[in-house]
Structures are given as C-alpha cells and as structure tokens.
Amino acid sequence: MKPLEGVLVLDFCQYLAGPSAAMRLADLGARVIKVERPVVGDGARRLALEGLWSDGDAVNFHAINRNKESVTFNTKDSDDLAKVKKLVAKADVLIEAFRPGVMDKMGLGYDDVHAINPGIIYGSVSGYGTVGPWTRKPGQDLLVQSLSGLAWLNGDADQPPMPFALSLADSYTGVHLVEGILSCLIRRETTGKGGHVEVSLLSSILDLQFEVITTYLNDGHRPPHRGEFHNAHAYLAAPYGIYETSDGYIALAMGSVSRIGELIGSPHVAAHTDESEWFTKRDDIKREIASVLERNTTAHWLGILEPAGVWCSDVYTWEQLMASDAFKALDFIQNVARDGDTELLTTRCPIRFVGEKRTDSKPSPRLGEDTEHIIDEFGLNNTKEELA
Amino acid sequence: MKPLTGIKVVDFGQFLSAPSATLRLADLGAEVLKIERPGTGDICRSLYISDCVIDGDSSLFHAINRNKKSVAIDLKDPESRPVIERLIGDADVVVTNYRPGVASRLSVDYESVRRINPSVVYGEITGYGNEGPWIGKPGQDLLAQALSGICWLNGNADQPPTPMGLSVADLFAGQLLVQGIMAGLLRAKRTGEGAHVHVSLLEALLDMQFEVFTTYLNDGHKPPRRSSVNNANAYISAPYGIYRTSDGYLALAMIAIPALGKLIGCDELLSYENPDEWHEKRDDIKRIIVRHLASQTTKHWLSILEPADVWCADVYTWDKLMRTEAFHDLDMVQKVRRDDGTTVATTCCPIRIDGERYKGGPAAPTVGQDDNEYL
C-alpha cells in the first residue's frame, strides 16, 4: 500500500507551485483531482518549452500533472459551484493558489470550506503572504528571487545579481506545501481536526537561504561577497568551485589548498599553508589552481585527486550523466504518454520506499476527462430543491 | 496543537541534508534528539563561515539545529548499545545520512533498527543511492551538482558550468526526506506498518530540474543553451533576466517584446513581432534591452512598467529587503536562546499552520546537553 492511499486531494492550482505539490501527493499514493476552468483549464497546458506538445498539451504539463484526474466546473455557475462544494465535502485536502481573497469570493475560502468539511486540510499558496503591501504583486518566480536577496549569491562578483536559473521559488514552495499538508493529515489521525496550511514563494525562498541569512543576521549584517573567479558559494573558501581542464571541467569541494597543491605538483599552490587565506585570498588561490588544472585532462586530475581522498568530481552534462551506469542504476525515467504508442519521458518520484514496489505514474488527464464519472462516483448532481 | 506534537525523532545525521529535515520536523512540533559523538559532536559545529561563531558553534549549526536536543553517545562503544536500543525503541522516526555501509557497521541501518522497532519510519539520505558504481563517492553538494547537469543551466553561456550558489542538493534532499517521512508516519498511524524512506542528492537534483529535464528527454536531447546575456533560465525567452539600470537593477519576467519596447520607449524592440524570435534571438534582444535600461534608474522603469502590469521587480539585497514593510509583515525572523543567555537571530518555519507562524524553541543544543534526561 502506498503511504497516502485513501487520501483525496482537490487541486485548484495552475502552473508549477501548487500542481507540483499535488503531484508529489499523487506520487505518494493520494488520489488527486484537478479542478479546472472549462475550455481553458490550467494555463500550463498552453505553456510549452521548446515548442514541445503531446496530445494537445504542453509536454511540461504532462510531467507536472502525471497521476491526476481532471474535472471542469465553472465556479461562477451556481449549479457547478454546488457540485464543487459536494466534492469538497468528501475531500481530505484542498490546494489553491489564487490571489488572496479570490477563493472567498467564490464561497470556497477557508472558513466556507471548513464549515462544509471540518476535517479538511486547506493549503494556500501565495507570492508574498496574505497581509502587507506586496499581496498584489505578481507571485512570479524570477521576481520573488530578485526581491529575496537570492540573486546576490549566484554568479561572479562582476556580474549583475544572477538568479538561480530554475523556478526554485515555485518548486521549494510546493515542497513546503506538501510538508504542511502531510503534518496536518498526521495530526488529524489523532484529533480528527483539519487545518489551514499557508505557504508563500517569498517565505520559501528565504528558507532556502536560511543558513546564510542566519549568518548574516549574526555577523553584523555583512553582505555576501560572491567570488570574482568562478564563484560557487559566496561564503566558502578556496578551492570550492568548478575549474577548466584541457578537455573539460573538474569540481573541487572543501579541501586543503596546500595538500591539493602538493598533489597537483604546484609548489606555488602548496605554499598557501595559512588556512585563513583560503578565504581572504580565495580568488587569487583559485586562479593559481586553475592555471595548473587547465594543463591536463579531467581524467588525469581525478586519477590523482580521487585516490588521495580529495572531494572532487567530473562535471557532467545531462548526456554524460545519462550514459553513466550510475544513472542507469537509478531507474529514474518513466514513460507517461497518454497514448500507448507514443513516448513522453519524465522523471520518477525522487522519494523511494525501499523494498516496496515502485509503479509507473498514470498519464496526465485531458481537460475535464473525468468530470462525468466523478459526478457519478461522488453523487454530485443537484436536485431542484438543492438548487432552489 | 502543533501537528507533529508527540512524534519522537532520533537523528544520527550530520551537516546539512538530514539535519535540515529534522529541523522541519521540529518546527512542526516533533521532539528531535540529536545523537552526537562525545566531544566534537556534529562536525557542522565547526564549519564556520563569515568568521561567525556563536557560543562556540558555527552560525550554520545554529541555523540548522534550533529546537533540538542533544545526547553524546559513542556508537562504537558496545556499552552504549542498550541506550541506543532504548532510544530507537521509543522513536517514531530515525534519520541517518551516512555513506553507504557505515550505518550497518554501527548497527543503525534499517534492518537493525526495524528489529528493535518494527513500525519505525527510517529516513536515509545518500549521495547517489545504495547501489550502482557511485555509492563510494562522497555525497557532497557541489560534487552532486557537478554530476547532475544542473551547472549547465546556471550562469551565462560564456562561463564554465556554474553551480547554484547554495547547497541546494542538501536542502532539497532534506525536504524530500521530510515528505517521505511524514507520508510514512501517516501510514504507520493507520496501519502500524513502518517504512524505509530513501532520498539521494542526485535524485533530488534531478527532481529540481524535472521540468527542463523532461523537456530535454522529449526534444531529441538538445543540450540546454544558457543565455549569453544575464542568463536566468536556459529555456525561457527574452527578456527573462536581471538587468542593470543607472542606479541598480531590474528583474523582467515574461512580456511580449514589442509591448516592452513601446513601454520603455525602445524602438529597436518594436520589430520583434514574432514570438519565435524572442527565443531564437534571445541574446540580441537582451543586449538591446541592456543598453536601453542602463540609461535610467530602477525607480523610473518600475514607475512605467508596474502600472502596465508588466511582471517586473526591483532587485534587493537582504539589507534592502529587511527594511521593507513587506518583510516585516512576513514575520520570518525570530530570536532563539540558549540556557546560558546566548541569543541567535534566525529564520522561522516557512509554513504557517492555522494562521500561526511557529516560533521559539531553544537555540541549538550544546553537545550532550540533554544527557541527564535521556541517558
């Protein structure tokens, strides 16, 4: 039995943050029903990267919405809204990411839903929280990264602040939403009571920085300084970073600069025996290391450094990674194409339950494809009296 | 009542990945007991950055270990075994992040733990999984990033592969472990069945990249192309990125290029009417925007773009952010305290439950500070 079997989740979200949370709940065994607008549905259905489509929806939509069902209801229509409320009454979890106040206007705010179903776990995603001057700002990933200070940790010192080049605010917020929901489901086993979980992109992207922000809060608010040369972490000393070799790259994590100097045959680098200089002179030291490493191949340097126990590694592209036996051993790719003949490859759930069977995900749903059978299954049709 | 009240966690982890997982469990109400080696304890205690030492421990250690307890136990000493078995027997959750093989040498691997406590949820983080040719590799963040392909997404096209400037593998793996542990706990409450939850840094990094990696898997394996100009996402079209202005910076997300040109008065942009060009000629377009935005202040551009509902923002340092009313209202900072009066300013749990931002709890423990209570 998958851990979340028997848990019913209604996902009212679009794009990435909320739907990625619902995806994880589905990965873990929950039944997830996407509640979408008629005709259009989740905006992510239309948001194709590299012009990639499959069966009328963006390939990324398929990846994010694997293992879900889809119903379409027009919440502005009283008949449909009554159906939605009946479904809400049977759900364990509801997730929404509308701008603050929108669900209330639909009659589906936390208080309304709690009145219908006191045991429900209600998860809300916002950009910047529900109070304060930024609640109207667009909750978009790059903008949140930009306001959060994160971009000053990435890239080299002579560059503008550089965002982390993925939608990390969205994905980390989704992760936190899952955590809050699961914790409340656990509590409900004991208390029978539901709960209200609120996450925001800004809180989550600050949490991503919690170690270095804590440092900043206690070191007299010294701003972070990105390295001038191949920065990899604003707070870490040489040799931490990625270096060019004659045929590729090599990553060096924390280690003794002087010992690495000896190993790579550089008396110059080996002369840096004062550990405090590994941070204060890190750019000079890294340039010295780089001037040695560029003279030989990655394999050559790994052949010297790995046996000596230095924390080092090749630097792979996806292509190189996928060609490795290590990647194959992970068995991390699955096919989620709707039509059995085609192929739509994506990753699996990264959380393993060791010794338990790992099953392939069901394909993502076509817009509204489950509306009829869910109306039947949950008895959502309204009588005249109910509508009156 | 905090949601995980009554859940007992025994944490054998060190550094960031596993301890950041148990931090979240503690935030949500669980009782977390760190098992540390006598004397030195968790090595993270001495991993100083920015010369920031707080009452003998690094700021990193303090950030990661607030709200936990500590007992000092030498796992290699046979005399400590009865205590270990008692603590494991009482636990709902056991967490480790040893290199493969070490946990079984110390008899705290899943099989050993399950024999003592069959319904335990056992959470484990490794670098690269428990099988395959990489199990002996050090499970270190930068090295896992280097192997995962993620460094080819970050930084500009003319830069070497550029790591994400934080320990994102550790952080994401830790949070995925929290998800797995709580899913296992829910099932254990319902069925009494335990679980062995495993997360690797490599799979966590691939999951982080899953959107763009999925694109790669289905586009004929075209390698990602970072932008040469202010790269912000290898797969997103112009103008996506952060730009210099005359006095600072401006972030621009998605907007139609001619519409942007019209708003900022940049005629050169008006001819880019075909959305395909925003991708194919991304760098040319971004260079034009770079030149144009440099001429005026951030405030000037925001005053034009924000009222037009363009997705844009100022780019803040922590200093600037923390002076805003919005940050104050977010309520994400707290002060925690040690018994000796040492205070540490740090962040809070990012998840609000029932309208509450959970705070408080003592500061991170000293090594073995709770020996008397547990041993």
Side-chain angles (χ1 to χ4, degrees), chain A residues 182-202:
Chain A
L182 291 176
S183 72
C184 286
L185 283 169
I186 291 167
R187 180 175 66 178
R188 194 179 68 169
E189 290 299 302
T190 314
T191 65
K193 286 190 184 138
H196 189 190
V197 177
E198 292 169 278
V199 292
S200 69
L201 302 189
L202 184 57

Side-chain angles (χ1 to χ4, degrees), chain B residues 48-78:
Chain B
Y48 309 119
I49 60 171
S50 193
D51 299 320
C52 190
V53 186
I54 308 165
D55 196 27
D57 292 311
S58 73
S59 53
L60 302 183
F61 179 81
H62 277 283
I64 303 164
N65 295 285
R66 65 172 187 258
N67 226 342
K68 300 182 187 175
K69 297 181 172 183
S70 166
V71 293
I73 299 179
D74 178 1
L75 297 177
K76 289 180 184 149
D77 178 0

